[in-house]
Coordinates of all heavy atoms in Angstrom, one line a residue:
K219 N -5.7 13.9 -0.1 CA -4.4 14.5 0.2 C -3.3 13.5 0.1 O -2.3 13.8 -0.4 CB -4.5 15.0 1.7 CG -3.3 15.9 2.0 CD -3.5 16.5 3.5 CE -2.2 17.2 3.9 NZ -2.4 17.8 5.2
Y220 N -3.6 12.3 0.4 CA -2.6 11.2 0.4 C -2.3 10.9 -1.1 O -1.1 10.8 -1.5 CB -3.1 9.8 1.0 CG -2.3 8.8 0.8 CD1 -1.1 8.5 1.5 CD2 -2.7 7.7 -0.1 CE1 -0.3 7.4 1.3 CE2 -1.9 6.6 -0.3 CZ -0.7 6.4 0.4 OH 0.0 5.3 0.3
I221 N -3.4 10.8 -2.0 CA -3.1 10.6 -3.4 C -2.3 11.7 -4.1 O -1.3 11.4 -4.8 CB -4.5 10.4 -4.1 CG1 -5.2 9.2 -3.6 CG2 -4.3 10.4 -5.6 CD1 -6.6 9.0 -4.1
G222 N -2.6 12.9 -3.7 CA -1.9 14.1 -4.2 C -0.4 14.1 -3.8 O 0.4 14.7 -4.6
G223 N -0.1 13.6 -2.7 CA 1.2 13.6 -2.2 C 2.1 12.4 -2.6 O 3.3 12.3 -2.3
C224 N 1.5 11.5 -3.4 CA 2.3 10.3 -3.8 C 3.3 10.7 -4.8 O 3.0 11.5 -5.8 CB 1.3 9.3 -4.5 SG 2.0 7.7 -4.9
P225 N 4.6 10.4 -4.7 CA 5.6 10.8 -5.6 C 5.4 10.3 -7.0 O 4.8 9.3 -7.2 CB 6.9 10.2 -5.1 CG 6.5 9.8 -3.7 CD 5.1 9.6 -3.6
K226 N 5.8 11.1 -8.0 CA 5.7 10.7 -9.4 C 6.6 9.4 -9.6 O 7.5 9.2 -8.9 CB 6.2 11.8 -10.4 CG 5.4 13.0 -10.5 CD 6.0 14.0 -11.4 CE 5.1 15.2 -11.6 NZ 5.7 16.1 -12.6
E227 N 6.1 8.6 -10.5 CA 6.8 7.4 -11.0 C 6.6 6.3 -9.9 O 7.3 5.2 -10.0 CB 8.3 7.6 -11.2 CG 8.6 8.5 -12.3 CD 8.0 8.2 -13.6 OE1 8.0 7.0 -14.0 OE2 7.4 9.1 -14.3
S228 N 5.8 6.4 -8.9 CA 5.4 5.4 -8.0 C 4.6 4.3 -8.8 O 3.8 4.6 -9.7 CB 4.6 5.9 -6.8 OG 5.4 6.7 -6.0
I229 N 4.6 3.0 -8.3 CA 3.8 2.0 -8.9 C 2.6 1.9 -8.0 O 2.7 1.7 -6.8 CB 4.6 0.7 -8.9 CG1 5.8 0.8 -9.8 CG2 3.7 -0.5 -9.4 CD1 6.8 -0.4 -9.7
V230 N 1.4 2.1 -8.6 CA 0.1 2.1 -7.9 C -0.9 1.1 -8.5 O -0.8 0.7 -9.6 CB -0.6 3.5 -8.0 CG1 0.4 4.5 -7.1 CG2 -0.8 4.0 -9.3
D231 N -1.8 0.7 -7.7 CA -2.9 -0.2 -8.1 C -4.2 0.7 -7.9 O -4.5 1.1 -6.8 CB -2.9 -1.4 -7.2 CG -3.9 -2.5 -7.5 OD1 -4.4 -2.3 -8.7 OD2 -4.2 -3.3 -6.8
V232 N -4.9 0.8 -9.0 CA -6.1 1.7 -9.1 C -7.3 0.8 -9.4 O -7.2 0.1 -10.3 CB -5.8 2.8 -10.0 CG1 -7.1 3.6 -10.3 CG2 -4.8 3.8 -9.6
T233 N -8.4 1.1 -8.8 CA -9.7 0.6 -9.2 C -10.7 1.7 -9.5 O -10.7 2.7 -8.8 CB -10.2 -0.3 -8.1 OG1 -9.3 -1.3 -7.7 CG2 -11.5 -1.0 -8.4
G234 N -11.4 1.5 -10.6 CA -12.4 2.5 -10.9 C -13.2 2.1 -12.1 O -13.2 1.0 -12.6
T235 N -14.0 3.0 -12.6 CA -14.9 2.8 -13.8 C -14.4 3.6 -14.9 O -14.2 4.9 -14.8 CB -16.4 3.3 -13.4 OG1 -16.7 2.6 -12.1 CG2 -17.4 3.0 -14.5
L236 N -14.3 3.0 -16.1 CA -13.9 3.7 -17.4 C -15.1 4.4 -17.9 O -16.2 3.9 -18.1 CB -13.3 2.7 -18.3 CG -12.7 3.3 -19.5 CD1 -11.5 4.0 -19.2 CD2 -12.4 2.2 -20.5
V237 N -14.9 5.8 -18.0 CA -16.0 6.6 -18.6 C -15.4 7.4 -19.7 O -14.3 7.7 -19.9 CB -16.6 7.5 -17.4 CG1 -17.3 6.7 -16.4 CG2 -15.6 8.4 -16.9
T238 N -16.3 8.1 -20.5 CA -15.9 9.0 -21.5 C -15.7 10.3 -20.9 O -16.4 10.8 -20.0 CB -17.1 9.2 -22.5 OG1 -17.4 7.9 -23.1 CG2 -16.7 10.1 -23.6
A239 N -14.5 11.0 -21.3 CA -14.2 12.2 -20.7 C -15.0 13.3 -21.2 O -15.3 13.3 -22.5 CB -12.6 12.5 -21.0
G240 N -15.4 14.2 -20.4 CA -16.3 15.4 -20.8 C -15.5 16.3 -21.7 O -16.0 16.8 -22.7
I241 N -14.3 16.6 -21.3 CA -13.5 17.4 -22.1 C -12.2 16.6 -22.4 O -11.7 15.9 -21.6 CB -13.0 18.6 -21.2 CG1 -14.2 19.5 -20.8 CG2 -12.0 19.5 -22.0 CD1 -13.8 20.5 -19.9
P242 N -11.8 16.6 -23.8 CA -10.6 15.7 -24.1 C -9.3 16.1 -23.2 O -9.1 17.3 -22.9 CB -10.2 16.2 -25.5 CG -11.6 16.7 -26.1 CD -12.3 17.3 -24.9
V243 N -8.7 15.0 -22.7 CA -7.6 15.2 -21.9 C -6.3 15.3 -22.7 O -5.8 14.2 -23.2 CB -7.4 13.9 -20.9 CG1 -6.4 14.1 -19.9 CG2 -8.8 13.8 -20.2
E244 N -5.8 16.5 -22.9 CA -4.7 16.7 -23.8 C -3.3 16.1 -23.3 O -2.4 15.8 -24.1 CB -4.5 18.2 -24.1 CG -5.7 18.8 -24.8 CD -6.0 18.2 -26.2 OE1 -5.1 17.8 -26.8 OE2 -7.2 18.0 -26.5
S245 N -3.2 15.9 -22.0 CA -1.9 15.4 -21.5 C -1.8 14.0 -21.5 O -0.8 13.4 -21.1 CB -1.7 16.0 -20.0 OG -2.8 15.4 -19.2
C246 N -2.7 13.2 -21.9 CA -2.7 11.8 -21.9 C -2.9 11.2 -23.3 O -3.5 11.9 -24.3 CB -3.8 11.2 -21.1 SG -3.6 11.6 -19.3

Side-chain angles (χ1 to χ4, degrees):
K219 187 174 180 180
Y220 173 75
I221 293 169
C224 186
K226 290 183 178 182
E227 301 303 315
S228 294
I229 299 171
V230 296
D231 187 17
V232 171
T233 305
T235 306
L236 187 64
V237 296
T238 303
I241 300 172
V243 182
E244 297 300 325
S245 63
C246 296

